[in-house]
Structure formats: structure tokens, C-alpha cells
Amino acid sequence: MGMLSEFKQFAMRGSVVDLAVGIVIGAAFGKIVSSLVGDLLMPVVGLLVGGIDFSQMAFTLQPAQGDSPAVLLAYGRFVQALVDFVIIALAIFFVVRGINRLQRKTPPAPPAPPAPSAEEKLLVEIRDLLKAPR
């Protein structure tokens, strides 16, 4: 029973639960960004560079022979993955930047100095009387 309760304590730690939530949200976010890149941005980039579909770009290293498929160096998929990475990195940067701005609080104004005590007031009066010309 000791091992089970120790595992439960480990699994219910805030950091483990936060990590699990982060992984699930990250996977969903990855799908959204992949769709953003593949469905919205890459067609525009393809049009800008003359209608080229990056994912289909490849060098043929060995043509297909009989039943064996061609050996391709698919650099277009690499370009696509690179664009995906840059967009994901930028999106995460802007999310973290926004969170940091929300968390950054203006420092509180320094508290007003306390009013002088009665003793201090009397000392100020005595000082002023001693400084006064006779």
C-alpha cells in the first residue's frame, strides 16, 4: 500500500498535472498550426513563388524500377517542416510574450512617510526656536 500511496502523491503533484495538461494543449495547438501552415500560408507562398507546391518538390536519386518505387530526396517536405517550425516558434513566442506582459505588474507606489510623532514635532519646534534670531 505504501508504494501505491507514494505513486498517487507523485501523480497528483501540481507540476505533473500541469505537464499533462500542457502536452494535451500542445498537441491540439500543433494541429491548429499545421492547418494554418498547410492550408492557409503555404498556398499563398506557393503562389508568390510561381505556383510551386513545396511538399511535392524532390530530387529523384534512382528512378522506379519494376515493383520498387523511386528513391527520392524530398527536400520540399523539409522546407514545409522548416516553415511549420518557424511559424510554431513565432506563435509560441507571441503567446509567451503576451503572458509575460499580463503578469508584469506595475510596482506599487511607495507608501507615504509616516506622520511625525509628537516628540518629533516638539524637537522641530525647539530647533526652530534655537535658530531664530534673538
Side-chain angles (χ1 to χ4, degrees):
M1 191 68 160
M3 188 174 187
L4 183 60
S5 63
E6 188 177 343
F7 177 74
K8 180 181 176 185
Q9 182 183 6
F10 167 76
M12 289 303 165
R13 267 193 223 166
S15 58
V16 174
V17 174
D18 291 345
L19 179 63
V21 169
I23 289 172
V24 171
I25 290 175
F29 185 71
K31 289 179 184 179
I32 291 170
V33 172
S34 294
S35 175
L36 171 72
V37 171
D39 300 332
L40 299 178
L41 294 178
M42 288 312 286
V44 173
V45 171
L47 280 175
L48 292 176
V49 294
I52 300 171
D53 181 10
F54 283 104
S55 63
Q56 301 300 320
M57 298 172 100
F59 289 121
T60 303
L61 298 176
Q62 181 178 357
Q65 296 175 351
D67 291 339
S68 63
V71 178
L72 300 175
L73 182 65
Y75 67 91
R77 291 183 190 162
F78 176 74
V79 170
Q80 180 73 35
L82 194 63
V83 171
D84 285 351
F85 172 76
V86 169
I87 291 173
I88 290 170
L90 281 172
I92 290 173
F93 169 74
F94 286 122
V95 167
V96 169
R97 184 175 177 217
I99 290 171
N100 287 341
R101 282 190 177 177
L102 289 175
Q103 288 179 343
R104 204 178 313 148
K105 295 179 182 174
T106 56
S117 65
E119 192 175 85
E120 289 174 336
K121 289 179 186 178
L122 285 173
L123 288 171
V124 167
E125 285 180 28
I126 293 171
R127 181 196 65 198
D128 292 343
L129 287 172
L130 289 172
K131 282 186 179 179
R134 294 185 189 194

